[in-house]
């Protein structure tokens, strides 16, 4: 450090910012900062191409010209910026770079703003912005800069495969769980309706109400008689079900008896009844064929 | 180099790599100046192994190097992430189920008689596995055919309190009315019919389906 | 259910899935009888977060759910596992993406309006193929231009839970505000102009530098 007022050579911040309005050096040749492009090209054309292609359009280029000189975007010295902009355009043309039409449109816009700046300004208090010919250009530059910065922000965000990776562990012999299909009640009922329509049992069916509670009870009684042990007849009834429940159980027992699925024994007259699963000696149908016939018959009877 | 740092970087590398890593790969991850050698990496691996001792993951060595994997004992719950979308049940299955419900206790032979075609054993097996029907006894005829009935799960699944809540045959006769009454949801049918075979990653709605089923 | 068990199964599921998992996915992993609900899973997630506090991995929530990932601070060593450098995106692509993200739904024409140059069709195609943006509709003007918006994958990729988590967009300053500000000493350090000193030299140079600066 040589002194307080002499900025250190390693301090780029003070180095670049000291003469506020001076152009940033465009290049440094033999230690001499070059701020104005000489007429003769001193930079290899290829390097310049890369340089110029780095712009994302005329707004980006204008923004560069403004920022390079630490100018405030809201108070652009339009004449000077226009001059510099045109110099780049000429350069791009000399290099025969593919010059997008937008660059020329911007050149025309700048020329127009410049000429309007030369006219005496009428400032109205109501709409001061409209009075400044640069207003629209400034608005566009600001808007573009917002998204230019947003893009930079986006690029800085930690993203997969660059800053982070999904942590994963192997699952050897992974198997797929198969979910059982879903069924709705209407679907099943429609299926049943179709069976009924196909078989003739529907046509012969005369009874209004299918005693489904009896069928359920038949299943329940059979389940209760799982072993071939005798069960007390009365134990198959549940008093809390009331008269209807008792009747349903009784009918179910009669039906099971008729089908030979259970047998009822009474060891003495007026003695307690015992129920157990049938053992085949009852008057049961003697084959699937018969059983099916029986079913049809029953359907007719019900 | 801090041992903890080495351990955690080795762990991160193993989890990020998506392939088994050798000792070379793992030492190569560190800056040369850090002086982390194969011995240090090995120590880190041993430390990680100990860390994972009670966890659902484990660090193992396979032919091409080290990798972190799910402990086989935990494969079962984790596997549930891969769910196959259900196919729709066949008409034959639904008919069989309906016959068991309305005609129980009933034998296969009796079902065949009514339907006019043989009952596919798979169908009965599926219904038994689903716990919708059960064998409630045997008919006392030659061959002792099984008698089938519905279960409590069957009633629960279809939201019935008792079998009587099923429409009566008389009601079933007015099929057209039935369609309207039950407002047969076309949307439901479409959902069921959705392509099977898609795995869970593509089917994040699976838990919802399960919830609907309950 | 044992809290440790829930935690370790959740960890295993997150590591096995290879995709972010929602609370539904994670509760679905457990047996219904275990009675592990969303609250229990959330507690497990919090516990894992705490476990990972000093590690090189972290548990974060992104748009499609929870995932375990490498802590970006450890990207440097872990990235050495791959010989290929990660893809760098051009400024044009990032600017287009930023416009879609912050201004969605937006048409190509509107993007061109703000950027001042034609939108390269390749860029839009790349963004669509990466599944970061998608066509969300059409603007009701002549030509019915496509309206573009970002996707869930975009959020996942950038580790975001929702669009609101994007850094806030700089405010536009009014021309008139500035005239007032400029009359005050030190007023030129307003938000947009703030990094101006760093900005000027960094902006042009070479494309590589520009990308790195971003």
């Amino acid at each position: 450090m040589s002194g307080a007022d002499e900025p250190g050579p390693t301090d780029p911040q003070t180095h670049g910012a000291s003469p506020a309005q001076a152009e940033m050096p465009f290049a440094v040749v033999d230690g001499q900062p070059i701020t104005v492009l000489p007429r003769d090209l001193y930079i290899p054309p290829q390097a310049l191409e890369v340089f110029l292609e780095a712009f994302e359009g005329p707004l980006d280029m204008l923004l560069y010209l403004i920022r390079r000189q630490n100018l405030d975007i809201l108070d652009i010295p339009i004449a000077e910026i226009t001059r510099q902009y045109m110099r780049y355009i000429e350069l791009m043309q000399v290099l025969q770079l593919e010059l997008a039409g937008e660059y020329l449109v911007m050149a025309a816009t700048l020329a127009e703003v410049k000429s309007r700046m030369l006219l005496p300004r009428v400032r109205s208090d109501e709409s001061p912005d409209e009075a400044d010919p640069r207003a629209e250009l400034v608005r566009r530059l600001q808007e573009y800069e917002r998204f230019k910065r947003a893009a930079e922000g986006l690029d800085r965000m930690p993203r997969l495969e660059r800053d982070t990776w999904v942590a994963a562990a192997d699952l050897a012999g992974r198997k797929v769980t198969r979910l059982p299909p879903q069924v709705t009640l209407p679907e099943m009922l429609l299926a049943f309706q179709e069976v009924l329509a196909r078989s003739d049992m529907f046509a012969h069916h005369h009874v209004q109400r299918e005693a489904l509670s009896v069928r359920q009870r038949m299943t329940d009684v059979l389940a209760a008689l799982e072993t071939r042990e005798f069960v007390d007849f009365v134990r198959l009834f549940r008093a809390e079900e009331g008269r209807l429940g008792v009747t349903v159980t009784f009918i179910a027992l009669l039906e099971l008896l008729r089908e030979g699925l259970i047998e009822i024994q009474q060891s003495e007259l007026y003695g307690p009844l015992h129920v157990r699963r049938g053992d085949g000696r009852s008057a049961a149908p003697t084959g699937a064929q018969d059983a099916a016939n029986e079913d049809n018959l029953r359907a007719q009877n019900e | 180099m801090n041992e903890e740092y080495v351990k955690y970087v080795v762990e991160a590398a193993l989890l990020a790599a998506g392939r088994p890593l050798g000792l070379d790969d793992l030492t190569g991850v560190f800056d040369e100046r850090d002086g982390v050698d194969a011995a240090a990496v090995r120590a880190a691996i041993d430390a990680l192994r100990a860390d994972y001792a009670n966890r659902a993951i484990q660090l193992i060595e396979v032919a091409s190097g080290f990798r972190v994997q799910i402990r086989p004992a935990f494969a079962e719950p984790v596997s549930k992430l891969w769910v196959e979308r259900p196919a729709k049940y066949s008409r034959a299955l639904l008919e069989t189920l309906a016959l068991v419900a309305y005609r129980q206790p009933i034998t296969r032979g009796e079902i065949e008689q009514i339907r006019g075609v043989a009952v596919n054993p798979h169908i009965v097996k599926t219904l038994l596995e689903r716990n919708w029907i059960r064998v409630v006894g045997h008919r006392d005829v030659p061959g002792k055919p099984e008698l089938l009935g519905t279960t409590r799960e069957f009633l629960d699944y279809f939201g019935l309190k008792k079998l009587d809540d099923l429409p009566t045959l008389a009601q079933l006769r007015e099929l057209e009315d039935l369609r309207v009454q039950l407002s047969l949801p076309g949307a439901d049918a479409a959902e069921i019919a959705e392509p099977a075979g898609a795995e869970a990653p593509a089917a994040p709605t699976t838990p919802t389906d399960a919830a609907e089923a309950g």
Side-chain angles (χ1 to χ4, degrees), chain A, chain B:
Chain A
M1 288 288 145
S2 45
D5 48 353
E6 186 79 28
T10 52
D11 189 350
Q13 199 67 32
T14 33
H15 183 72
S18 41
Q21 296 293 48
E23 274 193 42
M24 297 279 296
F26 181 77
V28 178
V29 178
D30 294 333
Q32 286 297 308
I34 309 289
T35 52
V36 181
L37 273 176
R39 288 282 160 201
D40 52 325
L41 292 174
Y42 64 96
I43 301 173
Q46 272 174 334
L48 257 183
E49 272 178 54
V50 169
F51 172 79
L52 290 170
E53 275 172 353
F55 291 121
E56 286 298 326
L59 287 172
D60 194 32
M61 192 158 109
L62 263 184
L63 215 52
Y64 164 70
L65 294 175
I66 293 162
R67 293 291 177 223
R68 180 169 74 122
Q69 296 164 77
N70 257 338
L71 297 177
D72 193 292
I73 197 169
L74 293 183
D75 200 19
I76 317 165
I78 204 79
E80 175 56 17
I81 288 293
T82 304
R83 192 179 57 77
Q84 292 178 17
Y85 183 88
M86 292 312 293
R87 216 159 356 124
Y88 277 106
I89 295 295
E90 281 163 28
L91 195 61
M92 286 162 100
Q93 278 167 338
V94 167
L95 289 170
Q96 293 180 315
L97 289 179
E98 213 180 303
L99 191 59
E102 293 93 342
Y103 283 94
L104 299 175
V105 172
M106 180 56 76
T109 307
L110 285 170
E112 198 225 328
V113 171
K114 192 172 100 180
S115 64
R116 280 171 60 198
M117 292 290 282
L118 296 174
L119 297 174
R121 261 203 263 170
V122 188
R123 294 201 58 176
S124 92
D125 284 346
E126 290 90 58
S127 51
D129 282 8
E130 283 170 27
D132 195 322
R134 298 171 297 180
E136 172 59 16
L137 182 64
V138 165
R139 192 198 60 77
R140 287 189 63 196
L141 279 168
Q142 282 184 310
E143 185 79 341
Y144 171 67
E145 189 173 37
R146 291 172 86 194
F147 289 101
K148 187 184 152 161
R149 288 189 186 285
E152 288 162 7
L154 208 57
D155 200 27
R156 271 194 298 271
M157 295 181 61
R159 64 177 190 237
L160 281 179
E161 288 141 35
R162 187 190 66 181
D163 312 294
T164 184
W165 295 265
V166 173
D170 269 16
L171 178 55
R174 182 183 103 191
K175 62 180 195 320
V176 174
T177 308
R178 285 190 169 75
L179 284 186
Q182 312 293 302
V183 182
T184 62
L185 188 57
E187 272 184 292
M188 191 190 69
L189 295 177
L190 285 169
F192 187 50
Q193 201 280 339
E194 227 170 80
V195 183
L196 294 181
R198 276 211 312 273
S199 74
D200 53 2
M201 63 187 271
F202 205 45
H204 297 296
H205 192 82
H206 301 302
V207 172
Q208 294 297 314
R209 184 157 176 82
E210 177 81 335
L212 279 171
S213 48
V214 173
R215 298 232 151 246
Q216 179 161 37
R217 192 56 54 96
M218 286 165 73
T219 297
D220 293 345
V221 168
L222 279 181
L225 300 173
E226 208 142 24
T227 59
R228 279 210 76 217
E229 306 280 306
F230 274 111
V231 171
D232 231 344
F233 182 77
V234 291
R235 278 188 52 203
L236 295 169
F237 295 87
R238 273 166 291 178
E240 65 269 23
E241 287 181 342
R243 187 189 295 264
L244 188 63
V246 171
T247 310
V248 166
T249 306
F250 188 68
I251 297 172
L253 285 167
L254 288 180
E255 186 68 22
L256 288 167
L257 188 66
R258 198 173 64 80
E259 290 187 25
L261 292 169
I262 58 168
E263 56 187 76
I264 302 180
Q265 281 194 3
Q266 190 178 31
S267 44
E268 56 191 79
L269 199 60
Y270 305 121
L273 293 170
H274 295 279
V275 185
R276 70 166 180 184
R277 287 197 168 202
D279 62 357
R281 282 180 294 121
S282 54
T286 50
Q289 186 62 44
D290 290 343
N293 286 344
E294 163 82 353
D295 195 287
N296 277 344
L297 212 78
R298 221 167 54 231
Q300 288 166 34
N301 292 341
E302 272 162 6
Chain B
M1 213 55 216
N2 181 335
E3 276 171 36
E4 286 251 294
Y5 173 82
V6 175
K7 181 172 87 171
Y8 290 147
V9 168
V10 165
E11 178 184 52
L14 288 170
L15 290 173
R19 62 182 166 99
L21 295 178
L23 280 180
D24 283 355
D25 295 316
L26 288 167
T27 35
V29 153
F30 294 94
D31 204 292
E32 245 172 61
R33 286 166 304 184
D34 293 346
V36 175
D37 58 7
V41 168
R42 262 221 175 269
I45 284 169
D46 289 342
L48 284 172
R49 271 210 179 111
D51 285 358
Y52 296 168
N54 299 313
R55 309 250 294 269
I57 52 176
Q58 61 183 176
L59 201 166
I60 62 157
E61 187 170 4
V62 293
S64 38
F66 298 92
R67 78 161 181 222
V68 178
Q69 67 172 30
I70 309 305
R71 210 173 275 282
F74 287 83
E76 197 256 318
V78 174
S79 281
K80 295 212 188 96
L81 289 172
W82 291 273
V83 177
E84 196 174 272
R85 280 225 144 216
K88 202 179 172 173
Y89 279 139
S90 66
R91 163 79 41 176
L93 181 138
L94 293 174
E95 287 181 9
T96 306
L97 177 63
L99 279 168
V100 174
Y102 277 90
R103 293 270 138 180
Q104 62 190 290
I106 189 171
T107 66
R108 285 170 212 229
E110 289 154 9
I111 294 171
E112 285 177 9
Q113 202 60 44
I114 298 170
R115 290 193 56 234
V117 282
V119 171
N120 185 333
H122 272 298
I123 286 178
V124 176
K125 195 165 155 264
T126 303
L127 290 171
L128 285 168
E129 280 173 356
R130 191 95 206 236
N131 222 4
W132 281 348
I133 67 169
R134 65 189 161 145
V135 176
V136 292
H138 295 266
R139 206 179 276 296
D140 258 323
V141 294
K144 303 259 177 203
E146 289 174 342
L147 283 165
L148 304 172
T150 53
T151 61
R152 181 181 293 272
E153 282 85 349
F154 165 82
L155 294 176
D156 288 347
Y157 185 90
F158 290 100
L160 303 168
K161 259 168 80 182
K162 50 192 190 315
L163 216 52
D164 270 351
D165 294 342
L166 282 172
T168 62
L169 289 186
Q171 284 170 324
L172 275 175
R173 255 183 252 185
E174 285 109 55
L175 175 66
E176 291 316 307
D177 297 349
L178 180 80
R179 275 183 194 276
V180 180
Q181 269 176 31
L182 295 166
S183 60
L184 186 66
D188 274 16
E191 194 177 326
I192 291 157
E194 249 174 60
E199 290 194 357
T205 53
T206 303
T208 327
D209 286 353
E212 278 169 6

